[in-house]
Amino acid sequence: MPDSEPDTTRSTSSTSNDSSTRSPSNDSSTGRGTSVLVGTTKGAFVIDGTPDRTRWAVRGPFCDGWPINHVIADRSTGELWAGGGGGFTGAGVWHSPDHGETWELSRLSSGELDQWAANEPGLAGLFTWSSAP
């Protein structure tokens, strides 16, 4: 039986609580590399790879550390969209017009943190938290 070499490839797959997809805005056929979009309980991450996929760089966490369930990219514009939240933060959709460099939140519902901020406005002001969804 011939000797076999160990597998030295690295996996970029996500855990069962993450969602990931290849970013269509960075298709390897164009020479621009590949991006993997990952939603986690700690926020959204973008993993950028070189065109030959031999080197990878992780950017993030984005979305202020909110739990993120889904991250998608728009092929025509390079925009990113992330959706998530929970009982503590409420729900929201995050948008990045520049492939993850900047993000804006559209609040969909309030969470426990918003109730706390409404009851303690002085303390909430120290954290620049608004109780408005």
Side-chain angles (χ1 to χ4, degrees), residues 116-127:
W116 168 79
N119 293 331
E120 299 287 340
L123 189 55
L126 293 174
F127 299 104

Side-chain angles (χ1 to χ4, degrees), residues 7-100:
D7 182 9
T8 58
T9 59
R10 291 188 180 183
S11 172
T12 59
S13 64
S14 59
T15 65
S16 61
N17 290 336
D18 298 343
S19 62
S20 62
T21 182
R22 190 171 139 222
S23 170
S25 63
N26 278 345
D27 191 324
S28 61
S29 65
T30 64
R32 290 185 290 187
T34 297
S35 291
V36 179
L37 308 177
V38 183
T40 74
T41 58
K42 306 286 185 189
F45 293 82
V46 178
I47 305 170
D48 296 312
T50 56
D52 62 1
R53 298 182 185 177
T54 58
R55 288 186 233 137
W56 298 88
V58 177
R59 294 187 291 131
F62 300 117
C63 306
D64 289 344
W66 280 36
I68 298 297
N69 303 96
H70 303 282
V71 184
I72 61 171
D74 183 320
R75 176 184 297 273
S76 63
T77 64
E79 294 176 272
L80 302 180
W81 298 87
F88 187 70
T89 59
V93 175
W94 293 82
H95 172 249
S96 173
D98 49 17
H99 197 65

